[in-house]
Amino acid sequence: MPQGSVLGPLLYLVYTTDLLTTENTLTGTFADDTVLLASHENPITVSTRLQHHLTLLEAWATKWKIKVNETKSTQVTFTLRKGHSPPVLFSNIIIPNSPSVRYLGQHMDAKITWREHIIKKRKQIDFKFKQLYWLLGRKSPLSLENKVLVYKVAIKHIWTYGIELWDCASKSSIAILQRCQSKILRSMVDAPWYISNSRLHNDLGIPFINAVLHERSSKHHDRLEVHPNALLQPLLQTYNTRRLRRQLPIDLR
């Protein structure tokens, strides 16, 4: 089937429905993107479990004539400790260790600070705003109502994507997005320096970043409480032990 066809994703799922799994690893798939997760206090044990699963997948891919692109594969050790897990191989090629990984549009760093993800989104917003400056700029003849509509449709979705995951980022990281939004709003209305950011947001009906974080996080956890999938229930658990005084998404309710 040609790439991008309607039947392509369905036929691919049917063809790979017998993808091998193991008891000590968790497999996540979305179209042709596959992620393997293993958790243990000992990094050697983690690599051993991953290598066992990769060996099974290598035999499975050879049997069904599926080509895996090893050069696009990445190994990340999510931990607050120093160092990383021993390397693993696929088709006798070492999968490189990386301090971060991009998966389904989310940039996840090894310490789960989400700072890299927010910085990437800030650069993406700057690029999009530059393209739309002729509409959202200070000298644009477009009405203010339409400017707000363009911002919500073309720019806001960039930083709100996956917000239920990174909403627990540090205040300094979230402030990066807030400064970016305030800068765009000032350009939209050609506001002088003495107009406060609070007045800009209130007059335009655009909430602050933190307000969106709390609202989306609360709705997300309300949906989880009544969701029929039992695998999602552990996301509602609270933990008594914390490291680095970090908050969890559930703290934003």
Side-chain angles (χ1 to χ4, degrees), residues 40-43 77-84 110-111 243:
H40 199 273
E41 295 181 355
N42 190 338
T77 303
F78 297 101
T79 180
L80 296 179
R81 302 174 182 176
K82 295 182 179 180
H84 49 74
K111 298 186 183 300
R243 297 190 64 180

Side-chain angles (χ1 to χ4, degrees), residues 72-89:
K72 292 186 177 180
S73 300
T74 304
Q75 178 185 358
V76 182
T77 303
F78 297 101
T79 180
L80 296 179
R81 302 174 182 176
K82 295 182 179 180
H84 49 74
S85 302
V88 294
L89 296 86

Side-chain angles (χ1 to χ4, degrees), residues 4-249:
S5 63
V6 177
L7 284 178
L10 176 61
L11 294 178
Y12 178 82
L13 293 176
V14 172
Y15 192 74
T16 60
T17 187
D18 60 340
L19 185 68
L20 297 176
T21 59
T22 66
E23 295 181 355
N24 296 321
T25 57
L26 179 65
T27 304
T29 59
F30 185 86
D32 60 343
D33 290 330
T34 303
V35 58
L36 303 181
L37 300 174
S39 176
H40 199 273
E41 295 181 355
N42 190 338
I44 298 179
T45 303
V46 171
S47 293
T48 302
R49 292 177 176 179
L50 286 177
Q51 186 60 66
H52 173 65
H53 197 167
L54 288 172
T55 302
L56 296 177
L57 285 180
E58 182 179 348
W60 175 84
T62 302
K63 176 182 178 182
W64 295 110
K65 296 180 174 58
I66 296 178
K67 174 61 179 176
V68 177
N69 194 341
E70 299 87 357
T71 59
K72 292 186 177 180
S73 300
T74 304
Q75 178 185 358
V76 182
T77 303
F78 297 101
T79 180
L80 296 179
R81 302 174 182 176
K82 295 182 179 180
H84 49 74
S85 302
V88 294
L89 296 86
F90 191 90
S91 299
N92 295 324
I93 298 178
I94 297 179
I95 298 179
N97 276 285
S98 175
S100 63
V101 62
R102 182 178 183 272
Y103 184 68
L104 301 182
Q106 301 285 334
H107 298 83
M108 295 174 284
D109 57 281
K111 298 186 183 300
I112 313 294
T113 62
W114 297 105
R115 188 172 184 83
E116 179 178 350
H117 175 78
I118 291 177
I119 292 176
K120 295 284 187 181
K121 292 301 177 182
R122 169 62 193 267
K123 293 180 180 179
Q124 188 177 350
I125 293 173
D126 289 341
F127 179 75
K128 178 62 68 173
F129 178 64
K130 185 177 181 180
Q131 289 181 320
L132 297 175
Y133 188 79
W134 65 283
L135 287 175
L136 302 178
R138 298 179 182 273
K139 298 181 180 180
S140 171
L142 192 68
S143 66
L144 187 57
E145 181 181 359
N146 287 329
K147 284 184 178 182
V148 173
L149 180 61
V150 171
Y151 171 78
K152 291 181 178 180
V153 173
I155 296 181
K156 184 178 179 180
H157 74 92
I158 297 177
W159 62 266
T160 55
Y161 172 73
I163 196 174
E164 293 81 4
L165 295 177
W166 60 263
D167 53 8
C168 57
S170 64
K171 295 181 180 179
S172 60
S173 296
I174 296 176
I176 296 175
L177 293 176
Q178 183 57 63
R179 289 193 296 267
C180 180
Q181 178 172 270
S182 299
K183 177 183 176 181
I184 294 176
L185 297 186
R186 286 189 171 276
S187 177
M188 289 167 51
V189 301
D190 193 15
W193 62 269
Y194 53 82
I195 300 297
S196 66
N197 290 330
S198 298
R199 181 176 177 181
L200 281 175
H201 285 74
N202 291 333
D203 291 347
L204 296 177
I206 297 178
F208 281 91
I209 304 294
N210 279 325
V212 177
L213 292 177
H214 286 271
E215 178 185 3
R216 294 283 291 270
S217 180
S218 179
K219 290 182 178 179
H220 177 63
H221 285 88
D222 289 342
R223 290 194 298 265
L224 289 180
E225 290 179 348
V226 296
H227 202 281
N229 190 348
L231 296 177
L232 299 178
Q233 297 307 312
L235 298 177
L236 299 173
Q237 295 179 0
T238 57
Y239 301 87
N240 296 325
T241 58
R242 300 290 178 88
R243 297 190 64 180
L244 302 183
R245 298 180 180 179
R246 291 181 181 172
Q247 60 181 358
L248 298 174

